[in-house]
Amino acid sequence: MKVNVNSFSEKFQVAMGKFSTNIIVMTIANGMIKLLPITMVGSICAILSNLGIPGYQDFIDSAGITPIIKLGTTMTTNLISVYVLVSLSIEMAKMLKSDTISAVLISFMSFFIVTPLGSFDIKDGKVSAFDISYLGSKGMFVAMIVALLCTYSYYFLTKKKITIKLPDNVPPTVATSFAALLPAMIIGAVTILIAGFISFTSASQPFSSPDFRPFASSLISRMVACVFSKSFMSKMVYLPRSWSEKRVRLLFHHSIHYCHSVSQKLV
């Protein structure tokens, strides 16, 4: 059986080209890369507060510098979900040529609706507040989904003219605010219904983290890791035209071992 390497390579390039130009993929890629300054500040502060050098560590602890340094980590990486929400909303709104401020505000509203409130004991009684862990890495996946869905929903509703249209002599700022009124009410109502429904399920809230370890050791995960691995993709996309069937089979044989090693790291 002969393998048409050229045909497979061309089809693979077309498929990956469509995948890479998908608006969701582009939004996540561009939005996440813009978070690099935030994550770098948090990482540097985390390193400076935990160098492990006895003399240095004793000095910053005794001088009260440690809490100040950790503040950089708390306000950056420990609130990464908030930054992800803003970055992805802005990126998608720009790609869709929608109102950026309205999209970000609606995404903020929806994210806080689905974020559970906790009850905390203080000196004078109890207060309701957000648990900061839900605003960190624990809520990042939820923030990504909320940003993408809410921003696109706002774009879709405004495109379908489901807005309040004001006369042309109204100032643009006022007109923009009223234009976002109906979409915000619709998206907010749907988000409240979803949050209410989830609160009555066994998951109790959308921040419950499922166990992906069984999936990581499955054949499907190995195939996914193989396809999305940059090194393997580069081998598949740029296959030389002179390659024989034997060399193609050898490449796939090595790729199976590569996928197995990647999946073992995921477990």
Side-chain angles (χ1 to χ4, degrees):
M1 178 181 177
K2 293 185 178 180
V3 179
N4 193 337
V5 178
N6 296 332
S7 177
F8 177 79
S9 178
E10 291 175 0
K11 291 180 180 179
F12 191 79
Q13 289 185 55
V14 172
M16 295 310 300
K18 292 181 178 179
F19 176 81
S20 61
T21 55
N22 181 273
I23 187 172
I24 296 178
V25 176
M26 292 179 64
T27 299
I28 296 175
N30 296 339
M32 297 301 286
I33 197 65
K34 289 186 177 180
L35 296 177
L36 181 61
I38 305 297
T39 55
M40 283 300 296
V41 171
S43 300
I44 292 173
C45 290
I47 293 173
L48 291 178
S49 61
N50 297 282
L51 279 179
I53 302 174
Y56 169 82
Q57 204 68 41
D58 294 339
F59 169 74
I60 63 173
D61 290 340
S62 60
I65 302 176
T66 303
I68 299 175
I69 299 176
K70 287 185 176 180
L71 186 63
T73 305
T74 303
M75 294 296 123
T76 53
T77 54
N78 289 358
L79 296 177
I80 193 65
S81 294
V82 178
Y83 298 107
V84 169
L85 183 78
V86 175
S87 184
L88 266 60
S89 297
I90 292 175
E91 283 298 319
M92 177 168 274
K94 287 182 178 179
M95 293 181 186
L96 296 174
K97 296 182 179 179
S98 182
D99 183 53
T100 304
I101 298 298
S102 299
V104 172
L105 292 177
I106 291 174
S107 298
F108 256 116
M109 173 192 68
S110 301
F111 179 71
F112 287 141
I113 289 175
V114 299
T115 304
L117 282 172
S119 181
F120 302 93
D121 295 325
I122 60 174
K123 184 177 180 180
D124 298 330
K126 290 186 176 181
V127 294
S128 296
F130 289 118
D131 188 345
I132 195 172
S133 64
Y134 293 136
L135 305 180
S137 58
K138 189 176 182 179
M140 186 168 64
F141 188 66
V142 176
M144 293 172 63
I145 295 177
V146 170
L148 296 173
L149 289 180
C150 291
T151 304
Y152 187 82
S153 298
Y154 172 73
Y155 161 76
F156 177 80
L157 292 172
T158 53
K159 185 179 180 181
K160 295 298 182 180
K161 305 298 183 182
I162 307 177
T163 58
I164 298 176
K165 183 65 175 178
L166 296 179
D168 295 335
N169 58 351
V170 176
T173 306
V174 179
T176 302
S177 300
F178 274 88
L181 182 58
L182 281 181
M185 293 177 64
I186 295 173
I187 296 173
V190 173
T191 307
I192 291 172
L193 291 175
I194 294 174
F197 174 77
I198 293 176
S199 64
F200 289 104
T201 63
S202 58
S204 74
Q205 38 89 4
F207 293 85
S208 298
S209 301
D211 187 4
F212 289 105
R213 286 176 295 179
F215 174 77
S217 59
S218 66
L219 177 61
I220 297 177
S221 68
R222 299 178 187 184
M223 294 173 63
V224 172
C226 185
V227 171
F228 286 95
S229 169
K230 184 177 180 181
S231 58
F232 178 71
M233 284 171 58
S234 62
K235 292 184 179 67
M236 293 302 299
V237 174
Y238 302 106
L239 288 176
R241 294 181 180 273
S242 60
W243 272 34
S244 62
E245 178 184 354
K246 183 178 180 181
R247 297 187 70 180
V248 174
R249 288 182 177 178
L250 183 63
L251 172 62
F252 275 94
H253 175 73
H254 286 296
S255 68
I256 292 174
H257 289 281
Y258 176 79
C259 294
H260 177 73
S261 62
V262 171
S263 63
Q264 292 300 317
K265 294 179 182 180
L266 297 174
V267 179

